[in-house]
Amino acid sequence: MKGPKTVYTCTECDYQSPKWLGKCPSCGAWNSFEEETYTDTKVSPASPAAGASGEKAVLFRVLDIPEYMRCPTGISELDRVLGGGLVVGSAILLAGEPGIGKSTLLMQLCGRLGDESKIMYVSGEESRSQLKLRANRLGVDPSQMYVHSEVLLENILKEYESVAPDIIIIDSIQTLVSQSITSGAGSVTQVRECANRLIARIKADGTSLIIVGHVNKEGGIAGPKVLEHMVDAVLSFEGERSQTHRIVRAIKNRFGSTNEIGVFDMTGEGLIPVDNPSAMLLEGRPEGISGSCAVCIMEGTRPIIAEVQALVTPTSYPAPRRTADGIDYNRMCLILAVIEKRLGLRFSSCDVFMNVVGGMKIDDPAADAAIILALISSMKDIPVPNELIAMGEIGLAGEFRAVPSVHQRISEAKRLGFTQIAVPLGQMKRDAEKNGIKTPEGVSGMRGIYDALRILAQTQKSEE
Ligand SMILES: Nc1ncnc2c1ncn2[C@@H]1O[C@H](COP(=O)(O)OP(=O)(O)OP(=O)(O)O)[C@@H](O)[C@H]1O
Ligand SMILES: [Mg+2]
């Protein structure tokens, strides 16, 4: 019989090595190796959903399509992210920073579903009385909810068998340990083994599973990368702890779109879905101050208007500072380079700080136009009119390129009271000529980056 075997696994890419390595030869991550000890040499199947069933291959054509039963959670913003509700028999991973509100959201979910469905809430982090206190604070009292304060997987599976729930919640996967593995809770092996066995079990029974996962200091999901492949959906819970709003983002969803976000407001009574996130994000916008511009981004099917801010200040240091919060750093550098080259404005002797208000993260290239306006506005100290919103992707030649779903964005901007909407000129013309769409009132075209400067110059003139 073979004795225990030690391997070192990269937590980023699951590369394995017999020795500890400082840098992963596969993905290049530093300090990502964790020791794993196997007590037996049995290898668990890579995908617990398929499993080692020993079934014969079947003719694809004759397969029945399983009907995915969706169970709406009644929490509108969560349903939006899940693609219409919780799919019966699916495994979901909810990851987020400590204290962001994961347990709160799940307790509210129990409150909504815990009367019709049997729910087993396994908490490895909190005692029963702590859970009860939270439920009381949130005003939820589900009649069919069972709580289990336990960390040993074998005991959890035993209880699962006797309770036979429709939904099982594990809070959190990093606290679970399996007796068959000697390494500590939260190690790569434990997380993988516990998740594997839980998912294999619920897939066989058609039970829904929600796993809470911690995030590491870089913001990624802690534990083995394979965890994200094992589950059907990965939801990321984001937000600034200093602010009250929270965003749930679908990073992966086998039963719905991955672009949707759900916005919540954290209150003493729990997380309240925000139906109109744009209005919330624009609240308290400064008036007549340079360096701020409204931006419209698409998050899935929904346009959201946020505020992008820039601060450009002269510096005497030879290497000026550049920081970007909520915007990709490289995108900001590219935009700065285009402004320098095409407009001749010099940022090399200035510090540049950029921020998206409300902790939003922008990766929609349509935001380029607003970023440009905010940067030039701060540099020249000319405020962008509050009722102006700009959208357009910038090309390296300084031209504005078409943006998808432009009419949806325009409607949202109008709904929120924006009367000057700047969009790429080419797109507007094409829409008018080819598609016969009349340019809506208040919408103007921008050919290139010069037009962004022109908008600001006009504002300055009208003020004088
Ligand atoms: N009495 C209260 N009134 C208002 N907000 C509260 C109250 N108690 C807790 N909160 C909010 O709930 C948050 C904690 O939520 P929760 O315990 O659900 O987070 P979590 O993501 O599960 O954290 P952990 O990773 O520690 O389990 C706090 O950060 C705080 O914002
Ligand atoms: Mg918690």
Side-chain angles (χ1 to χ4, degrees):
M1 205 183 123
K2 285 184 183 167
K5 189 181 155 201
T6 302
V7 287
Y8 292 86
T9 307
C10 172
T11 50
E12 296 295 321
C13 68
D14 272 1
Y15 177 85
Q16 292 194 323
S17 152
K19 285 187 302 184
W20 187 85
L21 299 172
K23 186 184 179 188
C24 175
S26 170
C27 69
W30 285 94
N31 216 5
S32 60
F33 278 84
E34 267 192 22
E35 184 180 342
E36 293 191 54
T37 317
Y38 292 99
T39 45
D40 55 32
T41 49
K42 267 191 267 166
V43 181
S44 19
S47 167
S53 61
E55 279 176 11
K56 290 211 164 16
V58 288
L59 189 65
F60 191 60
R61 267 195 138 171
V62 302
L63 275 181
D64 290 332
I65 303 169
E67 264 197 36
Y68 292 120
M69 259 177 49
R70 266 187 209 278
C71 173
T73 62
I75 303 172
S76 57
E77 292 293 292
L78 186 61
D79 283 341
R80 172 189 283 279
V81 180
L82 288 171
L86 194 66
V87 172
V88 175
S90 66
I92 295 167
L93 175 66
L94 177 68
E97 289 196 359
I100 201 83
K102 303 178 290 293
S103 309
T104 306
L105 182 65
L106 293 179
M107 187 58 86
Q108 286 182 256
L109 180 88
C110 292
R112 294 290 185 136
L113 298 180
D115 289 326
E116 296 111 53
S117 314
K118 207 191 267 185
I119 305 179
M120 179 169 156
Y121 192 112
V122 181
S123 179
E125 295 182 348
E126 287 162 298
S127 64
R128 290 176 207 175
S129 43
Q130 267 176 300
L131 292 172
K132 189 80 195 170
L133 265 174
R134 175 176 297 125
N136 285 350
R137 175 165 62 84
L138 301 175
V140 299
D141 188 21
S143 57
Q144 289 209 74
M145 176 181 168
Y146 292 75
V147 288
H148 193 206
S149 261
E150 179 60 69
V151 292
L152 196 63
L153 179 73
E154 284 73 17
N155 289 349
I156 293 168
L157 289 176
K158 217 192 291 168
E159 270 312 292
Y160 166 81
E161 217 160 282
S162 70
V163 174
D166 303 309
I167 302 169
I168 172 165
I169 297 175
I170 304 289
D171 190 359
S172 66
I173 190 75
Q174 277 81 8
T175 56
L176 294 202
V177 280
S178 162
Q179 271 168 340
S180 63
I181 286 163
T182 50
S183 57
S187 70
V188 176
T189 338
Q190 283 288 9
V191 171
R192 185 194 298 133
E193 173 72 10
C194 293
N196 224 331
R197 283 177 60 188
L198 277 166
I199 296 169
R201 194 55 211 272
I202 63 113
K203 290 282 171 186
D205 298 347
T207 311
S208 305
L209 167 71
I210 304 176
I211 301 175
V212 171
H214 292 170
V215 294
N216 55 29
K217 57 181 185 296
E218 286 85 31
I221 296 158
K225 198 78 194 151
V226 71
L227 185 62
E228 289 168 57
H229 295 288
M230 282 193 238
V231 293
D232 298 309
V234 180
L235 306 185
S236 163
F237 208 135
E238 300 164 6
E240 302 283 322
R241 247 171 304 167
S242 54
Q243 290 177 2
T244 59
H245 71 269
R246 304 279 184 267
I247 292 169
V248 178
R249 190 183 295 276
I251 297 177
K252 155 183 170 171
N253 193 353
R254 285 186 182 146
F255 306 110
S257 156
T258 47
N259 301 319
E260 295 292 346
I261 63 164
V263 185
F264 295 92
D265 196 18
M266 175 64 105
T267 67
E269 285 78 47
L271 292 153
I272 315 248
V274 177
D275 302 325
N276 191 356
S278 305
M280 187 188 75
L281 289 165
L282 291 176
E283 225 171 47
R285 229 182 124 202
E287 267 185 49
I289 305 287
S290 64
S292 155
C293 186
V295 58
C296 185
I297 49 171
M298 291 300 291
E299 292 284 2
T301 51
R302 173 164 63 172
I304 290 182
I305 297 185
E307 180 193 349
V308 57
Q309 292 187 330
L311 188 66
V312 180
T313 51
T315 177
S316 48
Y317 286 103
R321 286 188 69 186
R322 305 269 184 265
T323 64
D325 214 354
I327 301 168
D328 179 47
Y329 178 82
N330 292 323
R331 190 82 196 161
M332 180 187 76
C333 292
L334 183 142
I335 291 172
L336 285 173
V338 174
I339 301 176
E340 285 213 354
K341 181 84 183 169
R342 306 293 163 202
L343 296 180
L345 297 175
R346 293 270 158 258
F347 288 93
S348 48
S349 55
C350 297
D351 286 337
V352 177
F353 306 96
M354 289 219 73
N355 177 39
V356 181
V357 176
M360 288 291 292
K361 290 193 174 42
I362 294 183
D363 54 8
D364 185 344
D368 291 353
I371 296 174
I372 290 169
L373 276 172
L375 282 166
I376 305 176
S377 154
S378 179
M379 180 179 227
K380 295 199 160 274
D381 206 15
I382 309 168
V384 179
N386 256 45
E387 58 287 352
L388 184 138
I389 187 162
M391 42 194 104
E393 177 181 352
I394 195 77
L396 294 188
E399 80 286 11
F400 280 118
R401 316 294 289 252
V403 295
S405 317
V406 72
H407 292 285
Q408 226 180 318
R409 295 181 205 240
I410 292 172
S411 315
E412 175 73 356
K414 288 201 154 186
R415 193 177 69 77
L416 283 147
F418 288 90
T419 50
Q420 286 184 51
I421 305 166
V423 301
L425 183 68
Q427 184 170 20
M428 217 174 70
K429 277 189 174 165
R430 199 182 54 235
D431 266 353
E433 285 163 16
K434 282 204 177 146
N435 307 331
I437 302 172
K438 239 180 89 191
T439 305
E441 205 185 318
V443 176
S444 61
M446 294 183 294
R447 193 184 300 275
I449 196 161
Y450 302 96
D451 294 321
L453 192 62
R454 185 180 41 84
I455 289 173
L456 285 175
Q458 273 172 359
T459 312
Q460 196 179 28
K461 233 187 237 168
S462 63
E463 270 179 12
E464 283 165 6

